[in-house]
């Protein structure tokens, strides 16, 4: 019986704050050349940070939508689900949805569907990192690496910053 081949281990990209800032700036510039959104929606949780930056740089209102694989911190779903209502400000407007990464597009497709169902006139997508086959309308960087974002590298435990244990095996 043939054995199932394990995928090759992926490199890890540790993103620092200055690089994240420049990437967000580049993403906002890319969007501004071909699209003028009236509203920017960040996909919570990690897409809220780049979404807010892009919205600020474009001088547009910012909202968020929760699309997550987690119900609670300990429970992980196999497929993502929309866990909050789409913002009412998207009605009849051009909307840019922003997330931090995009691999297979499951989360982004759900966010797009929720925004379209809420009555948006036009929807486009943007991510900081394209890491897989799904192609958003805009992306800052394309890579096959695992991404560790600056706000996710450390946690505060008992008032002390410690390395985030979920990235302990990333080297």
């Amino acid at each position: 019986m043939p054995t199932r081949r394990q995928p090759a281990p992926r490199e890890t990209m540790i993103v620092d704050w200055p690089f994240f800032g420049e990437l967000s700036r580049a993403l906002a510039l890319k969007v501004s050349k071909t699209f003028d959104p009236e509203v920017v929606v960040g996909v919570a949780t990690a897409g809220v940070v780049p979404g807010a930056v892009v919205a600020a740089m474009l001088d547009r209102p910012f909202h968020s939508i929760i699309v997550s694989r987690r119900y609670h911190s300990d429970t992980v779903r196999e497929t993502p689900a929309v866990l909050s209502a789409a913002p009412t400000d998207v009605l009849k407007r051009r909307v840019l949805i922003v997330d931090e990464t995009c691999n297979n597009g499951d989360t982004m497709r759900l966010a797009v569907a929720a925004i379209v169902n809420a009555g948006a006139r036009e929807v486009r997508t943007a991510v900081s990192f394209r890491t897989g086959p799904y192609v958003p309308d805009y992306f800052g960087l394309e890579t096959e690496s695992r991404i560790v974002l600056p706000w996710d590298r450390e946690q505060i435990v008992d008032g002390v910053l410690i390395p985030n244990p979920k990235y302990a095996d990333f080297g």
Side-chain angles (χ1 to χ4, degrees):
M1 174 178 237
T3 59
R4 187 173 219 187
R5 199 169 141 199
Q6 293 291 336
R10 291 172 34 179
E11 296 286 323
T12 299
M13 180 184 296
I14 307 293
V15 178
D16 63 14
W17 284 108
F19 179 62
F20 166 75
E22 286 303 313
L23 192 64
S24 296
R25 180 176 171 266
L27 187 58
L29 282 167
K30 281 183 181 181
V31 169
S32 72
K33 291 179 188 219
T34 61
F35 188 53
D36 183 21
E38 295 169 282
V39 177
V40 176
V41 176
V43 178
T45 57
V48 168
V49 179
V53 172
V54 169
M57 293 192 77
L58 296 175
D59 193 26
R60 296 295 182 259
F62 175 75
H63 297 279
S64 65
I65 186 169
I66 301 172
V67 180
S68 179
R69 292 183 186 273
R70 288 183 171 77
Y71 277 119
H72 302 287
S73 61
D74 296 338
T75 306
V76 177
R77 297 173 45 86
E78 287 296 314
T79 57
V82 177
L83 302 179
S84 70
T88 57
D89 278 4
V90 303
L91 182 63
K92 298 181 182 178
R93 295 176 119 182
R94 293 180 308 276
V95 179
L96 179 68
I97 300 173
V98 180
D99 207 352
E100 88 288 9
T101 61
C102 188
N103 188 15
N104 62 16
D106 290 348
T107 299
M108 190 62 81
R109 282 187 197 85
L110 282 172
V112 168
I115 298 301
V116 167
N117 288 338
R121 183 171 73 218
E122 182 179 359
V123 178
R124 294 196 191 173
T125 58
V127 297
S128 300
F129 299 94
R130 178 180 174 220
T131 59
Y134 182 83
V135 182
D137 296 300
Y138 309 94
F139 56 90
L141 183 69
E142 186 171 12
T143 180
E144 292 182 5
S145 298
R146 293 178 293 189
I147 307 298
V148 179
L149 298 161
W151 56 86
D152 214 16
R153 287 194 331 239
E154 300 171 309
Q155 292 180 332
I156 299 174
V157 176
D158 297 326
V160 177
L161 274 173
I162 65 165
N164 189 331
K166 76 179 179 184
Y167 298 119
D169 67 335
F170 282 22

